[in-house]
């Protein structure tokens, strides 16, 4: 694909904790003949929102992706055939910091990332008329730029917005932008240019508070569920009123407590920015949704509002994720197990904005061990195939010359010497295998892709000794070509041997506890393609070792063992979307 490469920005200055640089708003007025087809290709270092003739056409939150721009710079493509006017038009772009400038990630050295700088973007609009003639408009210094009302944004912290700075007719062709400065040409990011194929981050549900309670510092909103998203604020206010929203998941003595999502290494200023957003009101009724952040939370402490404003309509919880749709279903005769399944699925959905993360509130990092260990159950419950495939590209790019993988991906250099090791590095095997399933040829290709260096040299023997660097470590890669491949390491190097695999059945996730290690996989799912599409009733007794283990740990209540042989559970998974 011919990607636009003329990147522009508002300037070299970029924000930091305590040093605000407003998010830049760009616009370009142009005249078009009657068009038959039109498309926009846009890539950005940072996040963007894209507007055409006043319409927000952005694919979702946090566009285009979250990646190391030295490895991969992502683009999106939009069909805008029905939006271009004959005559004058306005195209506008709002930029957020994203990972391009992530001072909120200082714990993992993102503030020291070699690419850190002001956000930028490259754009091309291609228009074709009925005669086949093509006209292109590309980002350059003719774009006008001004400060937006977003005073500060960091997706690991929050967003500060001053509604008094809004320009109501910014998107109209008649607006006079002669007082704005021109955009600045800037260097293109060093990463490989790619079209993003991961599922977008979108709103999949809304919650209203189950309670609104007066507390010492304001009003506590309880939404009843811990999820990932943002709050839409709706308020009638006077200009200058400042509303502060602090998001958290834990109460201590009835008050919101953020200690569990702060770090001891953070300064007091950094701690104050954690999951905190501010909104300065304009006059009258107004509604606002943050653009470039997300939070993990159940509770919101609203400060600076009046008793009259403190009602259920003030805040609406917008739940967001790349994977909102469930593929699998599970139900059994023990409600505790059902609750565990429900909590697991909610955690999966909440921790998947483009790629799997460890938590949506404290770190928001793509820890590779978490992803590797959860891949099979994630694929049973959701549809992460496209996102896994895209994230594998970042995993491949993160391989060092020695074959090391960092513990988190993306990274700016942190995690190669701490926070990694065999349990983390095996994501390069488990993720493509579980993603592809029975398509063994494709699985082998995906694994091979992750095992080649930038010169195309196969790293299978070179990478694994570095990944599993302890002499007695052994990794079992299951069910590739219906075998187990045993990879053992000793002082003489790498020893590979095939172990015949008795079956190709997939075990239910909760059978994989230590107590179930000697149980044959009687409880199986998706043995063949046909069964993949049909619900299946399976004897609950196959889960007995896991249930015994959970009971011994006090996780579930004691129940007569006689219940288990007669109990049943049903499990199914719908086919993945194309």
């Amino acid at each position: 694909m011919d990607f636009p490469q003329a990147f522009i920005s508002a300037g070299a200055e970029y924000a930091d904790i305590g040093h605000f640089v407003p998010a830049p708003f760009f616009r370009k007025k142009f005249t078009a003949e009657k068009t038959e087809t039109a498309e926009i290709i846009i890539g950005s270092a940072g996040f963007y929102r894209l507007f055409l003739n006043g319409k927000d056409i952005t694919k979702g939150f946090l566009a285009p992706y979250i990646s190391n721009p030295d490895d991969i710079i992502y683009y999106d493509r939009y069909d805008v055939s029905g939006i271009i006017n004959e005559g004058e038009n306005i195209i506008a772009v709002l930029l957020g910091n994203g990972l391009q400038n992530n001072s909120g990630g200082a714990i993992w050295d993102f503030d020291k990332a070699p690419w850190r700088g002001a956000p930028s973007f490259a754009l091309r609009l291609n228009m074709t008329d009925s005669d086949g003639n093509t006209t292109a408009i590309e980002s350059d210094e003719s774009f006008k730029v001004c400060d937006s009302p977003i005073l500060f944004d960091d997706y690991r912290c929050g967003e500060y917005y001053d509604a008094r700075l809004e320009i109501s007719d910014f998107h109209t062709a008649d607006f006079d932008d002669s007082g704005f400065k021109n955009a600045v040409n800037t260097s293109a990011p060093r990463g490989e240019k790619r079209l993003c194929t991961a599922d977008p981050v979108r709103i999949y549900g809304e919650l209203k508070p189950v309670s609104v309670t007066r507390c010492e510092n304001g009003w506590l909103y309880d939404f009843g569920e811990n999820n990932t998203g943002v709050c839409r604020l709706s308020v009638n206010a006077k200009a200058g009123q400042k509303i502060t929203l602090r998001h958290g998941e834990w109460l201590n003595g009835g008050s919101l407590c953020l200690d569990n999502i702060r770090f001891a290494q953070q300064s007091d200023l950094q701690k104050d920015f954690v999951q905190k957003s501010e909104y300065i009101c304009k006059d009258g009724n107004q509604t606002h949704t943050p653009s470039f952040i997300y939070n993990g939370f159940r509770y919101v402490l609203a400060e600076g509002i009046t008793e009259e404003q403190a009602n259920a309509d003030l805040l609406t919880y917008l739940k967001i994720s790349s994977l909102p749709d469930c593929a699998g279903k599970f139900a059994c005769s023990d409600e505790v197990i059902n609750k565990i399944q429900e909590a697991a699925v909610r955690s999966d959905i909440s921790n998947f904005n483009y790629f799997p993360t460890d938590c949506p509130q404290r770190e928001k990092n793509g820890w590779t061990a978490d992803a590797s260990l959860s891949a099979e159950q994630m694929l049973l419950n959701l549809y992460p195939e496209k996102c896994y495939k895209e994230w594998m590209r970042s995993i491949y790019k993160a391989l060092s010359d020695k074959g090391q993988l960092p513990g988190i991906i993306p990274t700016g250099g942190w995690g190669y010497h701490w926070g990694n090791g065999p349990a983390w590095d095996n994501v390069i095997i488990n993720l493509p295998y579980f993603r592809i399933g029975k398509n063994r040829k494709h699985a082998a290709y995906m694994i091979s892709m992750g095992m080649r260096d930038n010169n195309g040299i196969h790293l299978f023997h070179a990478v694994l000794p570095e990944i599993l660097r302890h002499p007695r470590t052994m990794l079992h890669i299951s069910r590739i070509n219906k075998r187990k491949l045993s990879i053992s390491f000793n002082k003489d190097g790498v020893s590979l041997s095939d172990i015949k695999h008795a079956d190709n059945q997939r075990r239910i996730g909760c059978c994989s506890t230590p107590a179930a290690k000697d149980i044959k996989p009687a409880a199986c799912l998706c043995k063949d393609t046909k069964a993949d599409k049909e619900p299946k009733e399976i004897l609950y007794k196959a889960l007995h070792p896991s249930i015994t283990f959970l009971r011994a740990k006090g996780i579930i209540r004691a129940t007569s063992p006689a219940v288990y042989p007669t109990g049943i559970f049903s499990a199914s998974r719908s086919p993945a979307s194309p």
Side-chain angles (χ1 to χ4, degrees):
M1 176 177 287
D2 182 20
F3 293 105
Q5 301 185 43
F7 277 76
I8 59 175
S9 69
E13 187 181 13
Y14 55 85
D16 204 342
I17 300 293
H19 173 63
F20 290 0
V21 175
F25 216 159
F26 301 79
R27 64 173 256 145
K28 168 79 173 181
K29 182 165 66 174
F30 64 94
T31 302
E33 304 294 334
K34 186 174 183 180
T35 60
E36 290 293 316
T37 62
E39 75 168 12
I40 293 175
I41 301 173
I42 180 173
S44 67
F47 297 143
Y48 75 83
R49 287 179 65 186
L50 178 62
F51 304 84
L52 185 57
N53 293 325
K55 181 179 181 181
D56 187 346
I57 61 173
T58 318
K59 67 178 182 180
F61 282 81
L62 315 178
Y65 195 72
I66 302 173
S67 67
N68 174 339
D70 280 353
D71 288 342
I72 305 175
I73 184 70
Y74 278 99
Y75 290 75
D76 290 319
R77 180 167 54 187
Y78 296 89
D79 182 352
V80 294
S81 301
I83 309 176
I84 300 293
N85 298 325
E86 185 175 2
E88 291 187 326
N89 295 266
I90 293 292
I91 190 168
V93 176
L94 176 64
L95 287 184
N97 285 304
L99 201 63
Q100 174 68 13
N101 176 31
N102 184 218
S103 54
I107 294 294
W108 308 277
D109 295 338
F110 283 111
D111 60 328
K112 302 180 183 69
W115 65 76
R116 188 181 179 192
S120 61
F121 76 97
L123 173 150
R124 185 189 300 122
L125 166 62
N126 294 314
M127 298 174 288
T128 305
D129 63 21
S130 57
D131 296 326
N133 299 314
T134 300
T135 303
I137 294 175
E138 193 152 354
S139 48
D140 59 20
E141 290 179 306
S142 67
F143 275 65
K144 295 291 188 176
V145 61
C146 68
D147 292 343
S148 77
I150 299 176
L151 306 180
F152 172 82
D153 68 277
D154 186 300
Y155 81 97
R156 282 188 167 92
C157 295
E159 190 170 293
Y160 292 36
Y161 189 94
D162 190 341
R164 298 171 300 177
L165 303 179
E166 292 177 349
I167 305 173
S168 58
D169 53 353
F170 184 84
H171 295 286
T172 65
D174 295 333
F175 178 75
D176 182 10
D177 59 13
S178 60
F180 293 170
K181 65 181 182 179
N182 290 85
V184 177
N185 289 325
T186 189
S187 300
R190 293 180 285 268
E192 175 191 358
K193 296 168 179 60
R194 292 201 59 86
L195 193 67
C196 183
T197 61
D199 293 305
V201 181
R202 56 189 175 93
I203 298 171
Y204 69 93
E206 297 185 3
L207 295 175
K208 298 303 292 184
V210 297
S211 67
V212 181
T213 307
R214 182 71 178 264
C215 56
E216 182 178 354
N217 297 324
W219 296 82
L220 184 68
Y221 282 69
D222 179 1
F223 290 94
E225 293 181 9
N226 208 4
N227 295 286
T228 294
V230 294
C231 276
R232 182 175 63 221
L233 172 70
S234 300
V235 66
N236 186 359
K238 292 182 178 180
Q241 179 182 353
K242 184 171 76 172
I243 299 174
T244 301
L245 302 179
R246 300 180 187 270
H247 306 75
E249 57 183 9
W250 179 40
L251 298 183
N252 185 5
S255 299
L256 183 69
C257 185
L258 300 177
D259 290 348
N260 66 316
I261 58 176
R262 289 170 172 159
F263 290 89
Q265 302 96 313
Q266 291 176 317
S267 66
D268 290 341
L269 179 63
Q270 290 171 325
K271 289 178 181 178
D272 185 59
F273 271 69
V274 172
Q275 294 211 138
K276 170 188 170 185
S277 290
E278 289 186 354
Y279 179 83
I280 301 176
C281 301
K282 58 185 177 182
D283 273 325
N285 290 310
Q286 51 211 283
T287 299
H288 173 70
T289 302
S291 295
F292 301 124
I293 64 167
Y294 71 91
N295 302 298
F297 66 100
R298 170 179 169 173
Y299 305 99
V300 176
L301 176 61
E303 301 172 318
I305 60 174
T306 67
E307 185 171 0
E308 182 182 1
Q309 293 168 334
N311 55 57
D313 294 327
L314 181 79
L315 299 178
T316 303
Y317 196 147
L318 307 180
K319 300 188 292 182
I320 67 170
S321 176
S322 288
L323 304 180
D325 301 319
C326 288
K329 296 180 180 179
F330 175 91
C332 71
S333 51
D334 191 307
E335 282 305 308
V336 176
I337 298 294
N338 290 338
K339 288 291 185 182
I340 292 174
Q341 166 70 3
E342 179 188 352
V345 171
R346 182 180 295 134
S347 180
D348 288 346
I349 293 172
S350 297
N351 275 291
F352 220 115
N353 288 331
Y354 295 127
F355 53 82
T357 56
D358 62 323
C359 56
Q361 76 301 76
R362 188 172 187 256
E363 295 195 21
K364 303 180 182 177
N365 279 320
W367 281 95
T368 51
D370 303 44
S372 178
L373 292 171
S374 66
E376 189 169 19
Q377 67 85 16
M378 191 81 75
L379 282 155
L380 288 171
N381 284 310
L382 304 171
Y383 293 111
E385 288 88 345
K386 290 181 181 179
C387 290
Y388 275 166
K389 182 178 180 180
E390 201 62 72
W391 193 46
M392 274 298 296
R393 303 185 192 281
S394 291
I395 293 172
Y396 160 58
K397 290 285 189 179
L399 277 169
S400 73
D401 293 339
K402 294 181 179 180
Q404 291 174 297
L405 277 176
I408 61 171
I409 297 173
T411 181
W414 187 93
Y416 286 96
H417 304 293
W418 189 92
N420 62 344
W424 291 261
D425 299 338
N426 65 25
V427 70
I428 206 167
I429 300 294
N430 286 343
L431 205 64
Y433 171 71
F434 285 124
R435 178 190 170 269
I436 303 303
K438 290 182 168 44
N439 190 339
R440 297 187 298 276
K441 184 176 179 181
H442 196 180
Y445 166 74
M446 288 292 289
I447 293 171
S448 175
M449 183 191 77
M451 292 297 184
R452 293 182 184 275
D453 68 9
N454 292 330
N455 297 315
I457 299 173
H458 204 280
L459 294 175
F460 190 77
H461 292 84
V463 171
L464 288 178
E466 181 61 33
I467 289 176
L468 300 172
R469 30 194 181 279
H470 302 294
R472 294 186 180 135
T473 304
M474 181 177 287
L475 171 70
H476 292 289
I477 308 170
S478 300
R479 295 184 288 274
I480 295 179
N481 293 322
K482 296 188 178 182
R483 299 188 214 179
K484 285 183 180 176
L485 179 61
S486 170
I487 307 172
S488 57
F489 296 85
N490 51 53
K491 63 181 180 180
D492 297 320
V494 184
S495 174
L496 304 175
S497 60
D498 291 329
I499 303 174
K500 222 172 180 182
H501 191 40
D503 62 86
N504 196 33
Q505 296 175 337
R506 183 178 297 174
R507 292 173 66 174
I508 296 297
C510 57
C511 277
S512 60
T513 64
K517 62 183 179 180
D518 297 322
I519 302 298
K520 293 180 180 179
C524 63
L525 184 64
C526 310
K527 185 176 180 180
D528 53 48
T529 304
K530 184 178 180 181
D532 218 5
K533 302 176 183 178
E534 299 173 356
K536 194 170 185 180
E537 296 292 322
I538 307 170
L539 286 177
Y540 199 16
K541 64 183 179 183
L543 289 178
H544 185 266
S546 292
I547 293 168
T548 303
F549 175 79
L550 293 172
R551 286 175 59 199
K553 294 293 185 181
I555 297 173
I556 65 173
R557 65 182 182 276
T559 310
S560 170
V563 174
Y564 300 128
T566 58
I568 61 170
F569 70 84
S570 63
S572 66
R573 188 190 192 276
S574 303
S577 56

